[in-house]
Amino acid sequence: MHADGAAAPWTTTEFTGRLRAVTAARYHDRHPFNLRMHKGELTPAELRRWIANRFHYQRHIPVKDALILAKLERPAPRRAWLRRIRDHDGTAEGEGGIERWLRLGEAVGLDREELWDASRALPGVRLAVDGYVNFCRLSPVAEAVAASLTELSAPDLMRTRIAAFETHYPWIDPAGLAYFRTRVGQGARDGEEALALVLERARTREQQERAVAALAFKCDVLWALLDAVDRGGGRGAGAAAGGGGP
């Protein structure tokens, strides 16, 4: 403890350990919907509902990244963060992570315009996504970046998801899985870069604790999104994307 009574900052090892402990305990890979997905237990209608509603989150990733970009004061971190926007939006029509997610939708029989129609997203999904975007808009940069550290667990989830789709959902065109394959490498790189930025920016114990809380909040966002999808298709994309068989 410092002379002023404030708790001493965690060491880099301690701080990193606390951040990783959040995702180890609270990441949405443990959500019942994801567990059913990976066991091959989802119906085609449930998969379509998830893909359609998750797209509402995917389309806002470059938005929250642009908000974080505006908080970075120097060119080097801005260049690194700008790459995230290019990864999702692409540098030309037909490129990028959003395009790959649209192709995943098409692989399960969804229409692109249906995916872009935000009014079809379930209310709980819209609330979760709005909450995350507004958090990144209003929070200090260290906290906004810390919220993205779910990326530390994303590569393992992507590997699990690819294997599950190939094994249990053979009716889906394998080309539609390109988003998951690309995010294995991108997620690992982005997670390590974001972690380095948080370790650099969160220096005091209070800042560190707020960064850990930000990551916990992001885990709650992803969990709430799946809660809404899991409860299902009375409204929005839950109803519109129900579809028939494969």
Side-chain angles (χ1 to χ4, degrees), residues 35-215:
L35 294 178
R36 289 199 297 119
M37 180 191 298
H38 299 154
K39 291 177 183 177
E41 297 174 355
L42 296 186
T43 66
E46 287 175 316
L47 273 175
R48 293 184 183 108
R49 185 167 69 239
W50 171 70
I51 289 169
N53 279 278
R54 174 76 187 201
F55 180 73
H56 189 68
Y57 172 83
Q58 298 297 137
R59 68 186 292 189
H60 283 87
I61 291 176
V63 176
K64 67 88 179 174
D65 280 331
L67 293 167
I68 293 173
L69 180 69
K71 299 175 189 287
L72 297 168
E73 305 92 347
R74 300 200 175 205
R78 283 201 298 266
R79 283 193 296 268
W81 210 267
L82 182 61
R83 187 187 61 232
R84 291 167 174 257
I85 298 175
R86 291 196 299 266
D87 285 345
H88 282 277
D89 282 348
T91 57
E93 199 68 26
E95 298 178 356
I98 289 177
E99 171 65 22
R100 285 188 285 272
W101 197 273
L102 289 167
R103 291 176 185 173
L104 172 63
E106 290 174 331
V108 299
L110 295 172
D111 181 77
R112 284 174 174 249
E113 291 308 311
E114 183 179 4
L115 291 170
W116 278 113
D117 185 356
S119 69
R120 293 173 179 263
L122 292 164
V125 170
R126 294 201 302 270
L127 284 170
V129 172
D130 286 350
Y132 180 40
V133 171
N134 284 327
F135 180 86
C136 293
R137 176 182 291 113
L138 300 173
S139 298
V141 65
E143 294 169 42
V145 173
S148 76
L149 287 176
T150 48
E151 293 165 333
L152 294 171
S153 295
D156 286 341
L157 177 59
M158 294 301 103
R159 294 185 188 97
T160 299
R161 187 160 289 160
I162 292 165
F165 272 61
E166 290 178 337
T167 301
H168 302 300
Y169 308 105
W171 57 274
I172 298 175
D173 185 346
L177 307 184
Y179 177 85
F180 305 138
R181 300 185 196 283
T182 303
R183 286 305 296 168
V184 172
Q186 287 180 351
R189 178 203 64 204
D190 291 349
E192 291 303 321
E193 287 182 351
L195 177 60
L197 196 154
V198 172
L199 294 175
E200 175 190 347
R201 297 295 184 109
R203 298 293 186 86
T204 69
R205 179 65 166 271
E206 180 183 5
Q207 290 170 336
Q208 292 172 333
E209 290 176 345
R210 290 177 69 88
V212 171
L215 180 51

